[in-house]
């Protein structure tokens, strides 16, 4: 089970009007991207965190656990923005490598802070939406907004398939673990290759079964999602 | 309504899955099909649904052999349909309501009509409270309920159930038994199962498959007395039949019958004691 998905269906804001939540979160996202003001971004970030943690009651340690992945990306790109190389020591902090200097300037530092806060504001807005709004409700909003049926169809099917795939792989991994499949590096490699193989086979079998069951349920080439 | 005549089915690799099968579903209202693993139950169901085309013989619906063109099969499956053993195979949507509505939307029903039908179908399987739940949050038993509702939403004449109680706990199994009985008031039910007790209790006509052939058929209170036949088909007698044959108790159709019988018997014994003292 996906953590994000679980919270989306169990948080305290789950029954709040999804259209309103979506407009609010996307509005904040647009604000964070378009307005070049760190104070506004900081406000957005803090507001979203408060709403998600205190109003929607998402546990604080879980929230930051979810934040870790984007923060890793942020750090990597941050380092590349921050550092530059020069022949002379123009930096506020630097190290000397043979006859060149590697370090960062006051300007790049400011830029880094600005970027970080903007990214955090955007991420927290997106997380607010994903953690408080079940995907099934979002689909309802997309339908109201008259999004093309093919997009909704894809969304519905992908969303369902993710869980079928996760459940299948979870069972296989557990079975492998119970039979010592991940005790050494060599075993791990072998287990992973077996896992991929069995998932592919399971996928093909499921496809076949699905076709049969689609046929019995009078499928005619279109996954209808109603109004 | 459905008759299977001299049906034979052979897979592409040459294995014979079914041979000379004759069945008449007019023989009862809840028809049980039993057989060991690999005896051909599922293949038979797929043949009846027109998914597989028999190599020999034919399936007759309302005394006419079924045709294998799209138009006919579409009309046919509006009346004859099946609930698969593994509910995950037939749940495509992440919202229960949408999934139950799937075949109705394929048939271009209006959303208003769909709402009523979905409600009725979910109520019939005692699952209306699941309406807005995401499919992946359901327990196995609940998934089975929803899968049945998805098929019930169409106005079927015959419903095929492939192992409706496999993997269910005792309470849900009892619930499923009730659902099956209720279904049989308005439509014909054909079910396959490895649960001999279930089959014995709910079905009123039984077919036994063994290695792709029909090895026996008859009323439950007759066919289940044939110990030899059941053993040869790798099956077992229901416990009610066992205590009848081994302990000499009267043959009962269900547990309640037996319990009320034993109560009245106990009453006799106590009364006798009272007189003797």
């Amino acid at each position: 089970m996906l953590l994000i998905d679980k919270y989306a269906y169990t948080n305290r804001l789950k029954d709040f009007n999804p259209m309103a939540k979506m407009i609010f979160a996307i509005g904040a996202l647009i604000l964070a991207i378009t307005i070049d003001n760190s104070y506004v971004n900081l406000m957005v970030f803090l507001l979203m965190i408060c709403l998600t943690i205190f109003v929607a009651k998402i546990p604080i340690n879980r929230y930051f656990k979810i934040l870790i992945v984007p923060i890793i990306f942020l750090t990597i790109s941050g380092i590349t923005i921050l550092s530059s190389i020069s022949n002379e020591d123009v930096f506020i902090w630097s190290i000397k490598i043979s006859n060149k200097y590697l370090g960062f300037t006051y300007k790049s530092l400011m830029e880094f802070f600005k970027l970080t806060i903007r990214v955090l504001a955007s991420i927290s807005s997106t997380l607010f939406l994903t953690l408080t709004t079940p995907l099934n409700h979002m689909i309802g909003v997309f339908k109201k907004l008259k999004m093309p049926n093919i997009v909704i169809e894809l969304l519905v099917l992908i969303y369902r398939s993710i869980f079928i795939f996760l459940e299948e792989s979870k069972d296989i991994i557990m079975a492998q673990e119970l039979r010592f499949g991940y005790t050494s590096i060599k075993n791990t490699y072998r287990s992973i290759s077996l896992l991929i193989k069995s998932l592919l086979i399971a996928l093909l079998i499921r496809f076949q079964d699905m076709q049969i069951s689609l046929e019995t349920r009078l499928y005619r080439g279109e996954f209808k999602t109603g109004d | 309504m459905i008759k299977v005549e001299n049906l034979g089915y052979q897979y592409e690799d040459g294995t014979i899955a079914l041979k000379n099968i004759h069945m008449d579903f007019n023989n009862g209202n809840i028809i049980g099909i039993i057989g060991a693993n690999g005896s051909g139950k599922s293949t038979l169901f797929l043949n009846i649904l027109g998914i597989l085309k028999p190599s020999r013989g034919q399936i007759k619906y309302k005394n006419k052999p079924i045709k294998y063109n799209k138009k006919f099969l579409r009309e046919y499956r509006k009346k004859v349909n099946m609930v698969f053993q593994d509910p995950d195979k037939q749940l495509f949507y992440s919202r229960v309501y949408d999934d139950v509505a799937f075949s109705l939307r394929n048939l271009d029903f209006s959303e208003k009509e769909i709402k009523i039908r979905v409600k009725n179908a979910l109520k019939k399987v005692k699952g209306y409270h699941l309406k807005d739940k995401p499919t992946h949050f359901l327990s196995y038993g609940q998934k089975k309920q929803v899968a049945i509702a998805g098929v019930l939403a169409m106005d079927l004449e015959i419903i095929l159930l492939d192992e409706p109680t496999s993997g269910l706990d005792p309470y849900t199994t009892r619930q499923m038994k009730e659902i099956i009985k209720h279904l049989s008031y308005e439509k014909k039910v054909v079910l396959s199962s490895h649960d001999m007790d279930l089959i014995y209790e709910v079905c009123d006509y039984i077919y036994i498959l063994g290695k792709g052939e029909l090895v026996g058929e008859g009323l439950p209170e007759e066919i289940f007395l044939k110990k030899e036949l059941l053993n040869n088909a790798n099956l077992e007698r229901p416990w009610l039949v066992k205590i009848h044959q081994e302990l000499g108790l009267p043959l009962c159709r269900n547990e309640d019958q037996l319990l009320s019988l034993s109560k009245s018997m106990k009453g006799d014994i106590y009364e006798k004691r009272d007189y003797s003292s």
Side-chain angles (χ1 to χ4, degrees):
Chain A
M1 200 74 36
L2 279 178
L3 199 61
I4 296 178
D5 191 66
K6 195 188 125 198
Y7 286 129
Y9 283 100
T10 52
N11 75 84
R12 282 211 320 186
L13 287 176
K14 67 174 193 298
D15 294 322
F16 196 82
N17 184 345
M19 181 75 101
K21 276 186 287 191
M22 212 144 150
I23 291 171
F24 176 67
I26 291 175
L29 187 65
I30 291 172
L31 203 71
I33 293 170
T34 50
I35 293 183
D36 193 17
N37 182 327
S38 296
Y39 295 108
V40 173
N41 286 340
L42 190 66
M43 288 274 287
V44 169
F45 178 53
L46 292 177
L47 178 70
M48 285 303 175
I49 283 198
C50 287
L51 279 179
T52 322
I53 292 172
F54 298 116
V55 182
K57 296 269 179 209
I58 306 293
I60 190 160
N61 52 343
R62 295 293 183 174
Y63 184 76
F64 284 103
K65 216 173 161 185
I66 294 167
L67 260 184
I68 281 179
V69 179
I71 282 179
I72 291 172
F73 282 102
L74 181 65
T75 328
I76 294 169
S77 48
I79 290 169
T80 54
I81 289 170
L82 209 53
S83 50
S84 44
I85 299 170
S86 170
N87 288 328
E88 288 150 51
D89 192 359
V90 291
F91 303 111
I92 49 172
W93 181 90
S94 64
I95 44 170
K96 200 180 171 198
I97 303 167
S98 65
N99 57 351
K100 287 197 194 290
Y101 291 92
L102 175 71
F104 53 84
T105 60
Y106 179 75
K107 209 181 139 210
S108 68
L109 189 66
M110 279 297 114
E111 202 153 313
F112 171 71
F113 279 131
K114 242 180 167 176
L115 188 82
T116 307
I117 201 71
R118 181 185 278 189
V119 168
L120 286 178
S122 313
I123 290 173
S124 62
S125 311
T126 322
L127 273 185
F128 169 76
L129 185 65
T130 46
L131 284 172
T132 60
T133 319
L135 199 93
N136 285 340
H137 295 181
M138 281 196 225
I139 289 167
V141 175
F142 293 147
K143 276 186 216 159
K144 258 186 215 156
L145 295 175
K146 300 268 180 263
M147 199 176 270
N149 199 42
I150 184 97
V151 178
I152 295 176
E153 215 174 277
L154 276 174
L155 206 61
V156 167
L157 288 177
I158 291 170
Y159 182 57
R160 172 82 184 117
S161 313
I162 287 173
F163 290 98
I164 293 179
F165 191 78
L166 275 184
E167 273 165 37
E168 198 108 17
S169 52
K170 206 183 78 193
D171 287 350
I172 297 173
I173 292 170
M174 210 193 299
Q176 288 179 326
E177 242 168 45
L178 283 172
R179 283 182 283 158
F180 317 106
Y182 293 99
T183 44
S184 69
I185 289 187
K186 203 178 141 205
N187 282 351
T188 306
Y189 282 143
R190 197 188 300 134
S191 294
I192 289 174
S193 77
L194 281 172
L195 172 70
I196 294 169
K197 189 192 96 184
S198 5
L199 276 178
L200 179 72
I201 293 171
L203 196 86
L204 293 174
I205 291 173
R206 256 187 193 281
F207 170 72
Q208 241 169 11
D209 292 339
M210 195 172 164
Q211 266 187 327
I212 290 177
S213 110
L214 275 175
E215 210 172 309
T216 62
R217 296 188 70 188
L218 312 170
Y219 173 71
R220 274 194 303 180
E222 189 189 354
F223 275 93
K224 300 196 177 158
T225 43
D227 309 317
Chain B
M1 248 181 293
I2 283 194
K3 274 186 195 165
V4 178
E5 286 182 355
N6 194 27
L7 180 85
Y9 187 79
Q10 192 172 5
Y11 279 107
E12 291 91 345
D13 63 352
T15 15
I16 292 165
L18 296 170
K19 218 162 107 189
N20 300 330
I21 307 277
H22 286 273
M23 285 180 181
D24 186 349
F25 289 168
N26 289 323
N27 282 332
N29 220 11
I30 308 183
I31 309 260
I33 296 178
I34 54 177
N37 291 328
S39 60
K41 297 188 299 288
S42 301
T43 316
L44 175 70
F45 275 1
L46 292 181
N47 270 289
I48 292 173
L49 281 172
I51 301 265
L52 299 178
K53 202 173 169 183
S55 330
R56 298 182 67 192
Q58 58 195 7
I59 315 281
K60 274 186 174 172
Y61 172 63
K62 291 191 172 155
N63 287 323
K64 281 183 202 144
I66 63 169
K67 294 180 206 124
Y68 291 87
N69 60 53
K70 266 194 179 160
K71 201 177 150 210
F72 181 88
L73 286 178
R74 196 174 158 79
E75 292 305 310
Y76 176 63
R77 286 178 192 148
K78 275 193 215 169
K79 296 292 167 202
V80 182
N81 220 312
M82 159 163 172
V83 181
F84 289 86
Q85 182 186 350
D86 178 3
D88 272 313
K89 276 181 198 167
Q90 69 171 74
L91 301 178
F92 303 118
Y93 287 85
S94 51
R95 194 170 139 232
V96 168
Y97 182 92
D98 285 331
D99 204 86
V100 177
F102 182 62
S103 25
L104 299 177
R105 283 181 180 148
N106 286 336
L107 289 169
D108 298 322
F109 277 93
S110 72
E111 284 296 318
K112 212 172 131 198
E113 173 79 13
I114 287 175
K115 202 172 177 183
I116 301 167
R117 287 212 184 198
V118 170
K119 191 175 169 184
N120 286 339
L122 278 170
K123 277 195 171 153
K124 269 184 204 157
V125 297
K126 302 183 177 77
Y128 189 59
H129 59 287
L130 304 171
K131 184 171 68 99
D132 287 315
K133 281 224 170 165
T135 328
H136 52 276
F137 279 15
L138 303 182
S139 71
Y140 187 76
Q142 288 170 331
K143 277 183 186 169
K144 272 210 140 141
Q145 280 173 301
V146 173
I148 293 182
V151 173
L152 282 185
M154 293 182 272
D155 209 3
L156 296 176
E157 285 168 6
I158 300 179
I159 182 167
L160 311 177
L161 302 171
D162 195 3
E163 310 241 2
T165 57
S166 73
L168 298 183
D169 60 55
Y171 174 76
T172 324
T173 305
R174 261 205 312 278
Q175 226 178 5
M176 193 61 76
K177 230 185 255 180
E178 288 308 308
I179 292 171
I180 294 170
K181 279 181 191 161
H182 277 283
L183 287 182
S184 71
Y185 298 146
E186 35 191 88
K187 45 196 106 221
K188 194 177 288 286
V189 182
V190 181
L191 67 123
S192 84
S193 179
H194 288 301
D195 184 347
M196 296 302 128
D197 296 321
L198 169 86
I199 294 275
Y200 177 68
E201 204 183 314
V202 301
C203 295
D204 42 29
Y205 200 82
I206 315 275
Y207 289 99
I208 302 179
L209 286 179
K211 298 193 182 95
E213 282 180 84
L214 199 60
V215 292
E217 64 177 286
L219 300 170
E221 54 267 46
E222 288 166 10
I223 196 94
F224 277 121
L225 298 180
K226 296 175 181 165
K227 193 177 167 187
E228 195 83 349
L229 175 75
L230 291 167
N231 274 342
N232 288 338
N234 288 347
L235 298 170
E236 224 194 1
R237 291 170 293 168
W239 71 275
L240 285 162
V241 173
K242 271 191 209 159
I243 58 167
H244 162 67
Q245 288 184 324
E246 309 296 331
L247 302 177
L249 288 167
L251 183 61
C252 301
R253 274 308 295 275
N254 55 47
E255 199 177 319
D256 291 338
Q257 223 175 52
L258 181 80
L259 290 180
S260 64
L261 198 75
S262 81
K263 247 178 222 158
S264 66
M265 272 164 64
K266 260 185 207 159
D268 277 352
I269 294 164
Y270 289 133
E271 270 170 41
K272 270 177 204 159
R273 266 194 200 152
D274 279 348
Y275 282 117
S276 62
S277 63

